[in-house]
Amino acid sequence: MITPEEQRFIDSVAPAAKAAAARWGVPASVTIAQAIDESGWGKSYLSREYHNYFGIKFNSHQSGVAYVRMATNEVIDGASVKILANFMNYPSAEKSFAAHGCLLATAPRYSPAMDDSDDPFEFATQLRVCGYSTDPAYAAKLGKLITEFHLTQYDKPKDPPAAAAVAA
C-alpha cells in the first residue's frame, strides 16, 4: 500500500522523469525507481541539498560545474565500503533528471540498457550489468519498486502492433 508521502514524492518527480524519457528514451518507470532507491524517497542529504537524486558522481573531465564531496557506501569485492566521492550538484531536480537521462542515453557503457528501453525490467537488469551501481541487488530492487508502485504507468504507451491496428 502506497503511503500519501510516497505518492507525493512520485507525483513530484514523475513530470521530470517523463520529460527525460521523451527526450532521451530512458523509461520513466526506471528513472522514478532509481530516484526512490538512490535518494531514499527524496530524503537523502544529496537530493535535498544538491538536487542529485541518482548519486551521479562528478567527473574530473567536467569543467565549470558544481560538485560536493561526501561519504558514500560502495560494494567492492562483495563488501560494503564507505568512501569519499565527488557528486554532482544540480540547481534543480529537473536538471538532475535531465542529466541522468543524458548520461544513460549517451554514455557508450549504457548502450546495452538503451537497447532494452522498451522493457523497464530488462533495462534495470542491463543497468546493473553495465555497472551503474555496485549493489549486486540493484536490478531486483528497481524491479520491486516498479512493480510495487505501478511505475510503468508513467512510461510512454507502446504503439500497438501493426496487425492489431489494421484489424481495429
Side-chain angles (χ1 to χ4, degrees):
M1 177 75 124
I2 190 167
T3 68
E5 183 179 18
E6 291 167 339
Q7 189 61 58
R8 276 191 299 277
F9 178 78
I10 291 170
D11 291 345
S12 74
V13 300
K18 289 168 71 175
R23 177 150 189 213
W24 299 106
V26 176
S29 59
V30 175
T31 300
I32 295 168
Q34 287 184 281
I36 291 168
D37 183 66
E38 299 280 347
S39 75
W41 292 95
K43 294 178 183 175
S44 73
Y45 186 74
L46 187 61
S47 63
R48 284 190 339 267
E49 297 298 319
Y50 302 105
H51 307 289
N52 187 332
Y53 288 80
F54 304 99
I56 295 176
K57 293 185 176 87
F58 171 78
N59 181 322
S60 62
H61 301 296
Q62 298 165 305
S63 61
V65 296
Y67 68 92
V68 59
R69 189 163 179 81
M70 296 178 63
T72 185
N73 290 318
E74 299 288 346
V75 177
I76 300 172
D77 296 328
S80 183
V81 178
K82 189 168 279 250
I83 64 167
L84 284 176
N86 295 328
F87 291 91
M88 294 297 296
N89 175 1
Y90 296 103
S92 67
E94 293 77 17
K95 295 284 187 186
S96 176
F97 279 73
H100 170 265
C102 178
L103 172 69
L104 296 183
T106 63
R109 76 185 279 182
Y110 299 120
S111 63
M114 293 305 297
D115 289 344
D116 286 315
S117 64
D118 61 333
D119 180 342
F121 298 98
E122 186 58 29
F123 188 94
T125 298
Q126 289 304 317
L127 279 182
R128 172 62 191 115
V129 171
C130 295
Y132 183 89
S133 172
T134 60
D135 180 353
Y138 192 68
K141 288 177 182 179
L142 296 183
K144 183 175 188 247
L145 290 166
I146 291 167
T147 300
E148 183 175 350
F149 297 103
H150 309 286
L151 299 179
T152 56
Q153 68 183 300
Y154 300 99
D155 290 331
K156 178 182 171 197
K158 309 248 183 311
D159 292 330
V166 171

